[in-house]
Amino acid sequence: MATRGCVDQCVSNVHLTPQLYGDRSVPPLLRMSGLSLLERSNAGVLVTDLTEQYRSAFFKRPSSREQRSWEKSLAALGEVLRDAGLGQVEVLIEQQLPLSSLRADAVLAGVHPETGKPSYVVVELKQWSAARLVPSTDDLCLVDKLDDQARLHPVAQVRRYCDCLQNFTSVLESGNYDVSGIAYLHNADDQKVVELFRLPDARAQLFTKTTRGALMEHLRRCLAPAAGGSAADFLLDSPREPSRPLMDAAADEIIDGGEFTLLDGQQVAFSLVKRAVDLSRQSDTKEVIVVSGGPGSGKSVIAAQVMGHLGRSRRSVVHATGSKSFTTTLRTVVGKRNGSVAELFKYFNSFSEAERNGLDVLICDEAHRIREISHTGEGRQIDELLDAARVPVFLLDDYQGVRPREMGSVKKISDAADARGHIVRRVDLNEQFRCGGSRAYEHWVLRLLGLEPGGPLPWTNEENFQVYVADSPQEMEDFLRVRQEAGLTARMTAGFCWGWSKPKADGTLVSDVAIGEWRRPWNVDSERSLNGAPASSLWATDPAGFGQIGCIYTAQGFEYAWNGVIFGKDLVWAGNKWRGNQTENKDTSVAARTKPAEFERLIRHTYKVLLTRGLAGTVLYSDDPDTQAMLREMVNTDIRAPWPSGDVEASPGMER
């Protein structure tokens, strides 16, 4: 079965009311007619308005590069619409794609001149003056005078935006409404981008300033000279449809050849891997692909597509992680479909005696978990992984290293590859994606924990993501239980600040996490279920995991709809700053083996991981009064607001 587009938004197979998840399209930063766009641009107020809307939505200022793009490119689009007689068409500026934090530069909404039905044109604007294809590819390009970083071909980019918009917007999925795309390189002559015309696409077309007239004719075939406000409302008011859980989709992709639609940097990474594999047997130089991105950026979707493609191409590929929970879950889900495929999922310590270049590709997922020293005690683990395949691929998040002697970071992996004479290709997904959940919330967490400068910011709930502070762990649990019983996934996690007892003789878990009279057990610490509680590796995905408190090692790598996080006293707010307290942390692998500065870095990373597991919302509580007061000051939302009415139909799911 084919998997529909935008699959790194695999939040679960759910149909939710807007209040529960936010199941309407997110509004653009601004919307207006084509003529208003040009008038506001000429008046010099358009960029100011967009900047204010951006700051409100994302808690930071847009880059100067983005502001320049708005100033030049949107004016060029407005002039085209005016000259084409399409000034009444509605322009949705910086329209967020469904279930993604990616934004299309603009979506033109209007009426189709032949059918009279709503018609939409997705617009990608580029200021490039010259560009060429990356050798041996047809969907990657290099932009002159910028850098040597591979970029996705703008036609491939906008076509995927069209697929995502149509596949995840209910009213468009039937195919009865016209959705097409254009990439407009308004500073380029045809001859300066001639190689880019080698990528034909029936759904998206490339135009330059040379073909400006052809662009106007094309738009007149897609849009009538009539007001587009109703068509814009029709699109924005349509429910969006989340896709299936990632692991089920991965099973289809790997076994049956399902079809993910990768967007922007995801497709760049995939194409770089394909290219490196094709060249690997002809070259004496090894290429190493390093892909970085935060939660929900689609790293594991890239892995699934690479595995599926290479398997069908009869190339050898293995997926490895340093996470027992994640690898066990992959083996379990994929193994249900085909037991032999499950053997493709291994651990980083499986390659100490591997044949040099014995694999075409080794995908090192969760690569921030790579250890400094091999499990044999001899040599470095990163060298074993680099040697094991012709094309090593590393997928990681620089903010998820949570244990001492883990060396996985973009810099350290790149330096290790450079030292061995390998070519390193880097892809950064961090500025492009936060798929499922909220990009603004992730930035808020980084500011809250001091992982980005500027200090904590007040949070304002979004339609698609809510944050609450509970007055007690019992209130948190009650809130989450209602969601869990409604069919959503909900879990509670905590800092490692309580002991971890062995189960009683009858298999009963000991309620070690104790705050006042409230007591709950940690998740099972073994790979066998106990009295209905799931094995540790399945805590995040088995519905029976609700009721036990998860730790960093069972939560890392997974996401669920609703997330509860209990701050322990190992990280407290004191004197207007965070203070790490090693004596309160019960994780002997961390607290007893680190110096204070390293402990504080790791403990902030730990809470960053715990805080970013939720796709619909997060509930916070701190066992420390001063920290609880600070959280309450930053999050002034009412957790006791009435539960929204409406039917909920859902099944538990997970995503990373």
Side-chain angles (χ1 to χ4, degrees), residues 22-217:
D23 104 306
R24 295 291 187 267
S25 297
V26 177
L29 289 188
L30 288 177
R31 59 174 287 188
M32 62 194 69
S33 70
L35 287 179
S36 294
L37 169 66
L38 186 57
E39 291 169 358
R40 292 162 75 90
S41 178
N42 290 338
V45 298
L46 181 64
V47 174
T48 301
D49 291 345
L50 282 168
T51 298
E52 289 304 311
Q53 289 296 109
Y54 188 99
R55 290 180 62 182
S56 176
F58 302 110
F59 296 100
K60 61 180 179 180
R61 287 182 60 85
S63 67
S64 57
R65 181 176 178 180
E66 187 149 26
Q67 290 176 306
R68 288 194 300 272
S69 177
W70 289 337
E71 181 181 6
K72 303 298 183 183
S73 296
L74 289 174
L77 176 62
E79 290 171 354
V80 165
L81 293 174
R82 176 199 61 193
D83 295 347
L86 299 174
Q88 295 183 67
V89 165
E90 197 81 352
V91 185
L92 308 179
I93 305 171
E94 297 290 336
Q95 176 62 56
Q96 186 169 322
L97 298 174
L99 304 178
S100 167
S101 64
L102 278 175
R103 293 170 286 126
D105 289 336
V107 176
L108 307 181
V111 178
H112 196 278
E114 295 181 3
T115 67
K117 294 182 178 181
S119 180
Y120 305 96
V121 179
V122 183
V123 180
E124 179 63 24
L125 300 166
K126 301 291 188 188
Q127 296 190 79
W128 305 348
S129 57
R132 64 191 187 282
L133 291 177
V134 173
S136 303
T137 72
D138 60 4
D139 64 350
L140 298 179
C141 55
L142 299 171
V143 181
D144 285 357
K145 299 181 180 179
L146 288 181
D147 50 46
D148 60 356
Q149 178 184 349
R151 288 170 165 78
L152 188 61
H153 192 300
V155 168
Q157 179 182 0
V158 77
R159 190 253 297 164
R160 285 168 170 78
Y161 286 4
C162 292
D163 291 344
C164 187
L165 184 66
Q166 186 155 23
N167 289 341
F168 285 88
T169 306
S170 294
V171 296
L172 302 181
E173 195 173 14
S174 66
N176 293 329
Y177 302 97
D178 195 67
V179 179
S180 61
I182 63 164
Y184 183 28
L185 280 59
H186 54 88
N187 287 335
D189 294 314
D190 277 4
Q191 62 187 21
K192 295 293 184 66
V193 294
V194 65
E195 292 185 12
L196 272 59
F197 287 99
R198 296 179 189 173
L199 182 65
D201 195 293
R203 191 166 205 181
Q205 295 191 37
L206 176 68
F207 298 94
T208 68
K209 67 179 181 181
T210 305
T211 53
R212 187 175 183 273
L215 170 59
M216 291 191 291
E217 288 297 323

Side-chain angles (χ1 to χ4, degrees), residues 5-12 98-100 164 242-243 263 266 435-436 655:
C6 290
V7 179
D8 82 319
Q9 293 75 255
C10 301
V11 296
S12 67
L99 304 178
S100 167
C164 187
S243 61
L263 301 175
Q266 297 169 336
C435 305
E655 183 220 324

Side-chain angles (χ1 to χ4, degrees), residues 388-597:
R390 297 175 185 272
V391 181
V393 179
F394 297 91
L395 310 170
L396 70 151
D397 179 356
D398 272 343
Y399 287 130
Q400 287 202 44
V402 298
R403 300 188 73 174
R405 293 184 290 279
E406 289 179 347
M407 60 76 64
S409 69
V410 172
K411 184 179 188 308
K412 289 182 178 180
I413 292 172
S414 299
D415 288 348
D418 286 338
R420 299 171 78 82
H422 305 326
I423 298 171
V424 180
R425 310 288 187 192
R426 301 179 186 87
V427 180
D428 185 357
L429 305 177
N430 281 307
E431 290 304 313
Q432 300 176 350
F433 295 96
R434 192 5 170 145
C435 305
S438 164
R439 169 55 100 179
Y441 171 71
E442 187 179 0
H443 179 69
W444 181 82
V445 167
L446 294 175
R447 289 279 297 265
L448 176 74
L449 295 175
L451 296 172
E452 285 189 356
L457 288 167
W459 170 263
T460 300
N461 272 347
E462 302 176 334
E463 181 181 1
N464 299 306
F465 199 89
Q466 288 105 49
V467 182
Y468 300 100
V469 174
D471 290 333
S472 67
Q474 184 65 61
E475 184 176 56
M476 173 189 290
E477 185 177 21
D478 292 344
F479 179 92
L480 295 174
R481 179 179 287 107
V482 172
R483 274 104 186 125
Q484 177 77 14
E485 292 176 350
L488 307 178
T489 48
R491 295 291 185 274
M492 293 179 67
T493 57
F496 213 142
C497 296
W498 292 267
W500 201 316
S501 303
K502 293 182 178 180
K504 298 177 183 178
D506 63 357
T508 302
L509 298 177
V510 179
S511 295
D512 287 313
V513 183
I515 300 174
E517 297 182 357
W518 181 87
R519 294 173 178 270
R520 293 294 179 269
W522 289 110
N523 58 258
V524 175
D525 69 348
S526 67
E527 288 309 306
R528 62 188 182 93
S529 62
L530 290 174
N531 289 345
S536 61
S537 297
L538 302 179
W539 169 84
T541 56
D542 189 316
F546 189 85
Q548 308 108 50
I549 307 303
C551 70
I552 179 63
Y553 304 115
T554 47
Q556 189 172 31
F558 299 93
E559 294 185 349
Y560 18 85
W562 282 93
N563 177 31
V565 181
I566 298 174
F567 281 78
K569 292 179 181 176
D570 55 353
L571 185 66
V572 298
W573 185 258
N576 291 321
K577 65 179 182 180
W578 290 105
R579 181 172 61 85
N581 188 347
Q582 285 175 266
T583 62
E584 293 288 341
N585 189 277
K586 308 302 182 185
D587 186 352
T588 56
S589 66
V590 176
R593 301 182 182 181
T594 56
K595 295 180 179 179

Side-chain angles (χ1 to χ4, degrees), residues 157-315:
Q157 179 182 0
V158 77
R159 190 253 297 164
R160 285 168 170 78
Y161 286 4
C162 292
D163 291 344
C164 187
L165 184 66
Q166 186 155 23
N167 289 341
F168 285 88
T169 306
S170 294
V171 296
L172 302 181
E173 195 173 14
S174 66
N176 293 329
Y177 302 97
D178 195 67
V179 179
S180 61
I182 63 164
Y184 183 28
L185 280 59
H186 54 88
N187 287 335
D189 294 314
D190 277 4
Q191 62 187 21
K192 295 293 184 66
V193 294
V194 65
E195 292 185 12
L196 272 59
F197 287 99
R198 296 179 189 173
L199 182 65
D201 195 293
R203 191 166 205 181
Q205 295 191 37
L206 176 68
F207 298 94
T208 68
K209 67 179 181 181
T210 305
T211 53
R212 187 175 183 273
L215 170 59
M216 291 191 291
E217 288 297 323
H218 175 77
L219 291 176
R220 283 193 284 258
R221 289 192 294 270
C222 298
L223 299 162
S230 295
D233 292 339
F234 183 70
L235 174 66
L236 296 175
D237 290 342
S238 171
R240 61 186 192 175
E241 296 280 354
S243 61
R244 298 172 301 160
L246 173 60
M247 296 306 173
D248 290 342
D252 283 352
E253 176 62 45
I254 296 166
I255 297 171
D256 296 334
E259 184 177 333
F260 286 119
T261 297
L262 302 181
L263 301 175
D264 287 22
Q266 297 169 336
Q267 182 63 35
V268 170
F270 177 67
S271 294
L272 285 174
V273 174
K274 284 202 308 178
R275 174 180 181 272
V277 171
D278 290 341
L279 297 175
S280 63
R281 296 182 179 180
Q282 309 167 19
S283 174
D284 295 328
T285 304
K286 180 179 294 191
E287 291 195 8
V288 178
I289 314 299
V290 181
V291 183
S292 59
S297 58
K299 300 184 295 296
S300 289
V301 171
I302 297 169
Q305 180 131 341
V306 167
M307 292 187 73
H309 171 77
L310 294 177
R312 292 186 294 277
S313 302
R314 300 191 180 279
R315 296 295 185 103

